[in-house]
């Protein structure tokens, strides 16, 4: 079981005199759990998500982001050595964090012209598997393994070395399956990544990518914004499937109670001025929906 | 004109080149006149910004670049049924009248210093003649340059309701110590309701200076399409131009370049709308890495009588390093208000948000960048329907990214 742990996390915009945004965030997400992170605009929700994934626009000034893993988190055949069970994510590149099972669903997914969904996702999946191997490789065995790699490349039995662990045909099948589950039109597979997609299609595509990459922890930044009710249900179904079928832990950032009717959270957190101000169960979200954030603010500053 | 080549370039040499090709008197005279005009001619125009000539052609040392009597090359010409793809002396022998009628009818030899130099000295020539009603594909002219300097000339004539697709490519064969010069002039005469698609892929070695002028005249209902790929050379000065003379004539120019190290790429796409109901679409995309520089000029000139004109121009340059430089100037000159036109140019870097999106999904940053660059060329490559050109351009881009 994986556990994402944010402790005393402070971050600012990465420039001279950059604005301080996170002011001591403490949060823990286990795989298999669904957390909702709510709060008014500008409270630091999106920044939290981006810092977890390693966005270069933010600089962490204090605190930690740790990922704790257990044997079996990457399948039965994947051995996780004891000294490689806790990772300081802040020391890792975004692609290395992805390899360890972190996924960020973007509020505004990039539109990438000229790169098909299929090509991108297969590249990402293979890169993730390859990077993971490297991260967990026994340090002593590294040199040996490299020699072996060279041997593979020249072996006529290996076929195309660019192929990666998941071949084209295998990937096509996987993609098609996941698209069907999400009720997505198969024509999206050959379209350029998010290019010309509607707002809803982009969000659906984020969930699809999570389904393919099978993250341990998925941080979904306002996945519900800009969705009509039908699409909201499709997307919600996808998020529930991540948890139920893959055991993914979900940290869902949202403004609205609406999606929580479909994706029932185990925990709800309210963020205010760069900190978690209040945590509770699903009933907290309902209270926020009815009463807004003012009472949280009052409560925090009265006790302070 | 202060740049001189005359010290090692004489009338006798020009006459010898002409005699070796069994040329008629009119052509020898044209060459000699071009030689004699050199003194009074200027270099082709270049883009100037305050304090700077972006492409300094005056700095070229023609003394050492030009070796008039050595024009070693390997040329491979591939023809198609029903048309003629002839080397120069053969073309003069079999179609002397046709050559005389059209030679220098599109590009004036004395237009500038470099066209005159090319006219005086060219020894490698090709004539592509497409008779009325014939449809031809897969014409290829592959030139491998083995000498210090090479002057190339191509004439394309299509008669009424014919069509042809041509791929011309330049690369370097034998090594020559020091710098080199390649010059190419292409004239296209597209007859009524005919279609010419002319693709070029320049991949000369990076010691070679390259001057190229390609120009077409489109008659009524004719189409002249260009594909202009530039990967090689130390410096390229290239212009691709169409005169839409006939009513309802069309042109599309698709350009792609990729400069690295200290390559300098100066390209222009120009169209003159002269007939009525004419359409032009100019699309260019380029990538620069290291200290490479690019200069782009796009001109859409709508004439007084060019009623009902449609004219579109887009240029995008992507810079992969902070040391690369680019200048782009799209120009739109409208003398007839009955015109629908657009023009735009952008210069930018790889988008940091795009990059983060891709790396956050597990893709290595270098791989992500390569995918973005390859993706950047896709809209241009999609417009290229000469398979060999598209595939090779794609491959050359991929190779350069992984050097």
């Amino acid at each position: 079981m994986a556990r994402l742990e944010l402790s005393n996390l402070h971050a600012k915009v990465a420039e001279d005199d950059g604005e301080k945004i996170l002011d001591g965030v403490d949060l823990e997400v286990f795989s298999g759990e669904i957390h909702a992170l709510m709060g008014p605009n500008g409270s630091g929700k999106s920044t939290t998500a981006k810092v977890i994934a390693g966005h270069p626009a933010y600089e962490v000034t204090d605190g930690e982001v740790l990922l704790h893993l257990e044997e079996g988190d990457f399948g039965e055949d994947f051995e996780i050595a004891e000294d490689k069970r806790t990772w300081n994510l802040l020391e890792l590149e975004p692609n290395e964090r992805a390899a360890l099972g972190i996924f960020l669903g973007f509020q505004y997914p990039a539109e990438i012209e000229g790169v098909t969904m299929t090509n991108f996702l297969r590249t990402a999946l293979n890169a993730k598997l390859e990077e993971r191997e490297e991260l967990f490789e026994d340090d002593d065995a590294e040199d040996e393994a490299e020699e072996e790699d060279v041997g593979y490349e020249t072996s006529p039995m290996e076929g195309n070395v660019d192929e990666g662990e998941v071949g084209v045909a295998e990937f096509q099948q996987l993609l098609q399956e996941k698209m069907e589950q999400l009720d997505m039109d198969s024509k999206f597979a050959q379209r350029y990544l998010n290019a010309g997609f509607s707002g809803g299609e982009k969000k659906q595509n984020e969930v699809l990518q999570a389904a393919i990459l099978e993250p341990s922890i998925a941080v979904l930044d306002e996945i519900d914004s800009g969705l009509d009710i039908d699409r909201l249900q499709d997307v919600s179904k996808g998020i529930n499937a991540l948890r139920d079928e893959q055991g993914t832990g979900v940290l869902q950032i949202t403004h609205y109670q609406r999606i929580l009717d479909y994706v029932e959270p185990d925990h709800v957190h309210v963020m205010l001025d760069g900190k978690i101000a209040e945590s509770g169960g699903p009933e907290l979200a309902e209270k926020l929906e009815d009463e807004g954030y003012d009472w949280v603010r009052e409560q925090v500053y009265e006790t302070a | 004109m202060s740049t001189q080549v005359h010290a090692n370039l004489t009338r006798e040499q020009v006459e010898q080149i002409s005699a070796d090709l069994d040329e008629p008197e009119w052509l020898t005279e044209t060459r000699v006149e071009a030689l004699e005009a050199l003194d009074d001619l200027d270099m082709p125009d270049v883009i100037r910004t305050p304090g700077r000539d972006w492409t300094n052609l005056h700095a070229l040392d023609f003394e050492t670049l030009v070796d008039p009597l050595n024009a070693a090359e390997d040329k491979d010409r591939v023809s198609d049924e029903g048309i003629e793809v002839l080397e120069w002396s053969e073309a003069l022998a079999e179609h002397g009248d046709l050559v005389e009628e059209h030679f220098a009818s599109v590009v004036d030899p004395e237009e500038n210093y470099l066209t005159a130099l090319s006219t005086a000295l060219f020894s490698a020539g090709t004539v592509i003649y497409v008779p009325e009603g014939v449809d031809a594909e897969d014409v290829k002219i592959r030139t491998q340059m083995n000498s210090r300097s090479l002057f190339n000339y191509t004439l394309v004539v299509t008669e009424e309701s014919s069509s042809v697709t041509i791929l011309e490519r330049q690369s370097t064969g034998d090594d020559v110590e020091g710098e080199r010069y390649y010059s190419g002039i292409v004239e296209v005469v597209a007859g009524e309701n005919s279609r010419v698609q002319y693709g070029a892929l320049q991949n000369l070695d990076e010691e070679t200076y390259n001057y190229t002028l390609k120009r077409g005249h489109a008659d009524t209902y004719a189409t002249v399409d260009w594909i202009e790929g530039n990967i090689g050379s130390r410096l390229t000065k290239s212009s691709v131009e169409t005169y839409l003379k006939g009513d309802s004539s069309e042109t599309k120019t698709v350009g792609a370049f990729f400069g690295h190290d200290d390559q300098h790429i100066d390209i222009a796409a120009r169209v003159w709308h002269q007939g009525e109901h004419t359409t032009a679409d100019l699309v260019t995309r380029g990538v620069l890495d290291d200290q490479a520089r690019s200069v782009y000029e796009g001109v859409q000139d709508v004439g007084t009588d060019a009623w009902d004109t449609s004219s579109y121009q887009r240029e995008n340059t992507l810079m992969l390093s902070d040391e690369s430089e680019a200048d782009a100037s799209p120009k739109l000159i409208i003398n007839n208000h009955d015109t629908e036109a657009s023009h735009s140019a952008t210069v930018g870097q790889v988008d940091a948000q795009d990059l983060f999106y891709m790396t956050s999904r597990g893709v290595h940053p270098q791989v992500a960048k390569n995918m973005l660059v390859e993706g950047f060329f896709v809209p241009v490559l999609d417009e290229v329907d000469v398979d060999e050109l598209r595939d090779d351009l794609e491959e050359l881009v991929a190779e350069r990214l992984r050097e």
Side-chain angles (χ1 to χ4, degrees):
Chain A
M1 185 178 283
R3 172 164 62 97
L4 176 69
E5 182 190 6
L6 279 59
S7 59
N8 193 33
L9 187 63
H10 288 70
K12 65 175 197 102
V13 174
E15 45 189 58
D16 293 341
D17 296 322
E19 193 192 346
K20 285 182 191 158
I21 304 181
L22 301 187
D23 188 28
V25 179
D26 294 299
L27 190 64
E28 211 173 15
V29 180
F30 284 80
S31 50
E33 292 179 347
I34 293 183
H35 292 242
L37 182 60
M38 304 183 78
N41 288 325
S43 56
K45 304 185 300 295
S46 282
T47 302
T48 304
K50 286 174 183 162
V51 167
I52 292 169
H55 196 294
Y58 302 95
E59 184 187 327
V60 173
T61 53
D62 200 4
E64 284 184 320
V65 179
L66 300 177
L67 181 69
H68 306 279
L69 299 171
E70 279 177 10
E71 186 75 9
D73 276 350
F74 299 139
E76 279 170 25
D77 301 334
F78 197 98
E79 195 186 324
I80 300 177
E82 265 181 57
D83 62 341
K84 294 208 169 178
R85 295 198 178 157
T86 292
W87 293 84
N88 179 356
L89 294 188
L90 299 178
E91 285 175 356
L92 300 174
E93 295 300 321
N95 61 306
E96 295 171 319
R97 299 182 196 198
L100 290 176
I102 298 293
F103 180 92
L104 172 61
F106 284 62
Q107 186 180 358
Y108 304 108
E111 295 195 20
I112 302 189
E113 200 182 26
V115 178
T116 61
M117 281 256 296
T118 305
N119 182 18
F120 172 69
L121 267 179
R122 197 173 72 83
T123 304
L125 181 57
N126 281 321
K128 175 180 168 156
L129 296 173
E130 196 183 322
E131 185 68 49
R132 186 181 284 170
E133 291 288 342
E134 278 175 33
L135 287 170
F136 287 92
E137 211 158 63
D138 190 348
D139 294 334
D140 300 329
E142 220 161 274
D143 297 338
E144 221 172 286
E146 263 167 40
E147 271 166 41
E148 255 173 55
D149 280 347
V150 175
Y152 276 131
E153 273 175 45
T154 52
S155 157
M157 300 300 289
E158 263 302 307
N160 186 353
V161 287
D162 285 334
E163 183 84 330
E165 192 168 329
V166 182
V168 176
E170 190 187 344
F171 181 78
Q172 296 285 12
Q173 202 183 341
L174 174 69
L175 183 62
Q176 207 162 6
E177 242 167 61
K178 299 287 183 186
M179 288 180 91
E180 270 168 31
Q181 280 175 17
L182 281 165
D183 207 15
M184 279 178 85
D185 195 322
S186 60
K187 71 174 194 283
F188 281 100
Q190 286 314 316
R191 281 178 63 180
Y192 296 142
L193 189 55
N194 293 324
F197 283 28
S198 72
E201 285 163 352
K202 282 183 193 166
K203 296 303 175 71
Q204 217 168 356
N205 191 16
E206 293 293 278
V207 177
L208 171 71
Q209 294 188 42
I212 298 275
L213 296 173
E214 300 197 354
S216 306
I217 307 286
V219 182
L220 306 176
D221 192 1
E222 296 199 24
I223 198 88
D224 54 335
S225 64
L227 295 182
D228 62 36
I229 192 69
D230 288 342
R231 194 85 72 176
L232 181 70
Q233 288 180 4
D234 288 339
V235 164
S236 301
K237 210 171 98 190
I239 296 171
N240 286 324
L242 286 180
R243 194 256 303 260
D244 299 339
E245 289 169 24
Q246 304 176 5
T248 300
V250 176
L251 177 61
Q252 169 145 293
I253 294 171
T254 180
H255 274 294
Y256 306 105
Q257 152 70 21
R258 195 176 64 147
I259 190 170
L260 304 180
D261 290 340
Y262 303 100
V263 182
E264 203 182 320
D266 304 304
H267 304 275
V268 176
H269 311 275
V270 183
M271 200 159 188
L272 209 61
D273 301 330
K275 286 185 232 208
I276 304 293
E278 184 81 26
S279 290
E283 72 289 345
L284 181 56
E286 280 160 34
K287 189 172 176 189
L288 293 169
E289 182 79 359
D290 295 339
E291 302 177 24
Y293 293 111
D294 285 350
W295 66 271
V296 186
R297 191 179 295 277
E298 279 161 26
Q299 193 173 303
V300 168
Y301 288 98
E302 264 168 36
T303 52
Chain B
M1 222 18 262
S2 55
T3 312
Q4 303 294 340
V5 290
H6 310 144
N8 67 343
L9 179 57
T10 63
R11 180 182 177 128
E12 287 67 39
Q13 288 169 334
V14 171
E15 285 172 346
Q16 193 190 326
I17 292 168
S18 189
D20 288 348
L21 292 161
D22 275 333
E23 289 183 346
E25 208 170 306
W26 66 265
L27 188 52
T28 313
E29 271 168 31
T30 306
R31 286 178 180 269
V32 170
E33 281 165 21
L35 175 74
E36 286 168 352
L38 284 174
D39 261 344
D40 302 319
L41 291 171
D42 280 328
M43 285 290 173
D45 286 340
V46 298
I47 296 282
R48 295 195 164 87
T49 53
R52 179 167 188 186
D53 279 2
W54 275 78
T55 303
N56 188 358
L57 297 168
H58 297 281
L60 298 192
D61 178 10
F62 287 95
E63 288 275 346
T64 52
L65 283 177
V66 174
D67 182 3
L69 296 181
N70 180 357
E73 59 162 354
D74 278 330
K75 216 175 205 87
D76 175 25
R77 296 181 178 88
V78 179
S79 185
D80 194 13
E81 227 169 281
I83 68 164
E84 308 216 48
V85 178
L86 302 171
E87 65 168 279
W88 193 237
S89 44
E90 212 180 339
L92 287 166
E94 290 173 28
H95 295 283
D97 292 346
L98 181 97
V99 175
E100 186 170 2
E101 185 186 349
H102 297 293
F103 182 82
S105 69
V106 180
V107 176
D108 177 359
E110 295 171 29
E111 177 163 319
N112 64 49
Y113 186 89
L114 296 179
T115 56
L117 189 66
S118 214
T119 305
L121 296 180
F122 80 89
S123 50
T126 303
V127 173
I128 298 165
Y129 168 57
V130 187
E132 185 174 336
V134 175
D135 294 311
E137 278 177 38
D138 294 328
V139 173
K140 281 168 197 146
I141 311 166
R142 301 188 189 94
T143 302
Q144 209 174 50
M145 175 172 173
N146 295 323
S147 47
R148 172 162 314 280
S149 58
L150 187 66
F151 296 87
N152 202 51
Y153 173 82
T154 308
L155 173 65
V156 180
V157 179
T158 51
E159 289 184 346
E160 192 179 330
S161 301
S162 66
S163 71
V164 65
T165 297
I166 301 159
L167 169 59
E168 174 160 25
R169 47 195 311 167
Q170 296 92 31
S171 60
T172 305
D174 299 343
D175 273 341
V176 172
E177 184 70 27
E179 296 179 333
R180 313 168 77 160
Y181 182 61
Y182 174 89
S183 169
I185 291 177
V186 176
E187 295 188 278
V188 170
V189 182
E192 187 173 335
N193 195 38
S194 71
R195 178 168 191 258
V196 176
Q197 176 161 242
Y198 193 101
L201 181 55
Q202 177 273 115
N203 192 24
L204 295 162
D205 77 7
E206 290 174 28
E207 293 289 310
T208 305
Y209 292 83
N210 165 39
Y211 173 71
T212 307
L213 176 59
K214 304 185 179 84
R215 189 180 290 156
H217 282 176
D219 201 344
T220 307
Y221 284 108
T223 299
V224 177
D225 289 343
W226 304 99
I227 302 153
E228 171 75 4
N230 282 293
I231 299 288
S233 82
R234 168 162 181 92
L235 176 148
T236 283
K237 167 82 178 158
S238 164
S239 190
V240 177
E241 308 177 351
T242 310
Y243 281 79
L244 297 171
K245 297 171 95 71
D247 292 349
S248 303
S249 55
E250 292 180 26
T251 185
K252 181 162 80 179
T253 297
V254 175
F257 63 87
F258 192 162
H260 73 153
D261 294 339
D262 66 346
Q263 280 185 304
H264 183 109
I265 298 168
D266 179 330
I267 49 166
R270 300 187 172 100
V271 59
W272 286 265
H273 295 268
Q274 296 179 334
E276 299 180 12
H277 323 295
T278 62
T279 303
D281 194 7
L282 316 177
V283 189
T284 297
R285 286 194 167 205
V287 171
L288 297 175
D289 202 354
D290 308 321
Q291 298 87 45
R293 291 168 305 281
S294 73
V295 193
Y296 166 83
E297 184 186 61
V299 176
Q300 301 152 278
D301 185 305
V302 182
T304 323
D305 300 322
W307 298 91
D308 186 26
T309 290
S310 303
S311 193
Y312 312 100
Q313 175 184 184
R314 300 180 294 296
E315 198 271 347
N316 308 94
T317 311
L318 182 65
M319 302 205 291
L320 303 181
S321 82
D322 293 337
E323 292 82 43
S324 56
E325 286 187 285
D327 186 79
S329 73
K331 293 176 183 159
L332 177 55
I333 302 155
I334 298 185
N335 294 308
N336 186 313
H337 62 85
D338 186 15
T339 294
E340 186 185 300
S342 65
H343 69 308
S344 70
T346 65
V347 175
Q349 296 188 318
V350 171
D351 188 281
Q353 303 296 336
D354 290 355
L355 209 52
F356 177 63
Y357 184 77
M358 296 173 84
T359 54
S360 79
R361 298 282 141 96
V363 179
H364 190 276
Q366 189 57 50
V367 174
K369 199 166 159 183
N370 291 350
M371 288 178 98
L372 286 170
V373 172
E374 285 167 328
F376 175 78
F377 278 117
V378 163
V380 168
L381 292 170
D382 278 350
E383 301 282 335
V384 178
D385 45 11
V386 182
D387 292 343
E388 179 179 336
L389 179 49
R390 188 183 51 241
D391 295 348
D392 286 3
L393 200 51
E394 224 164 8
E395 207 171 292
L396 288 168
V397 166
E399 267 173 35
R400 180 151 293 183
L401 284 169
R402 288 160 184 84
E403 267 171 11

